[in-house]
Amino acid sequence: MAVAEDTRFPTLLVRGLCLLLLWVILIGPAPKNLLVGLVASAAGVWASTKLWPAGGTLSLAGFIGFLLRFLAQSIVAGLDVARRAFAREPDLRPGFVTCRSSVPAGLARDSACAVMSLQPGKLPVSAAADGTLLIHCLDLREAVAEQVAADEMAFCRILGSERRDG
């Protein structure tokens, strides 16, 4: 199995065990399912060596901070969308906003956009090669570009990096 040069066996073993543990949590420890879980874990480890950038690291503190921010925003945005949906006359000004992404192009930017799409009220529609994002939002009066910038900064902390312009 070809892997990134800086990926060591203990790292691969930890990844595999974590994926297998996730499998057991989701599917259960039945022996008939365990064999499939081993194969799925091995495939996940292989995919991680192809998808994860060489020398890539994750920040646990960044992840926890992002998760707390994401959960709080999800609740607030969900309540806002529900309030608008159940209003007699919904107070909406939908449209598109463009903003420049500070997340490096590639898997990192794609992941940030995928996570952003889970938030109610704004949806990344496209990302240009120069980093310009097209965001559909429910209310053009909101500071969407500033929200996206703050979301991206929090996301970059997971990757162990601060905001990069350009």
Side-chain angles (χ1 to χ4, degrees), residues 26-50:
L26 294 174
I27 305 300
K32 65 179 182 175
N33 295 331
L34 205 50
L35 180 60
V36 177
L38 286 169
V39 172
S41 298
V45 169
W46 176 82
S48 75
T49 63
K50 300 297 181 193

Side-chain angles (χ1 to χ4, degrees), residues 67-77:
L67 183 62
L68 292 173
R69 174 183 170 76
F70 180 85
L71 292 173
Q73 281 186 310
S74 292
I75 291 168
V76 169

Side-chain angles (χ1 to χ4, degrees), residues 139-155:
D139 196 340
L140 291 172
R141 297 168 293 189
E142 292 186 13
V144 175
E146 289 80 4
Q147 293 171 4
V148 169
D151 291 345
E152 287 185 340
M153 188 176 292
F155 184 83

Side-chain angles (χ1 to χ4, degrees), residues 3-16:
V3 297
E5 290 182 26
D6 67 339
T7 305
R8 308 251 187 265
F9 181 75
T11 302
L12 298 176
L13 184 62
V14 168
R15 287 182 194 177

Side-chain angles (χ1 to χ4, degrees), residues 15 30 35 38 42-43 60 87 89-91 97 103 109 120 126 134-135 138 140 150 152 158:
R15 287 182 194 177
L35 180 60
L38 286 169
L60 182 59
E89 294 181 29
D91 186 23
V97 173
V103 178
R109 185 177 300 151
S126 68
L134 181 63
I135 310 282
L138 292 180
L140 291 172
E152 287 185 340
I158 295 174

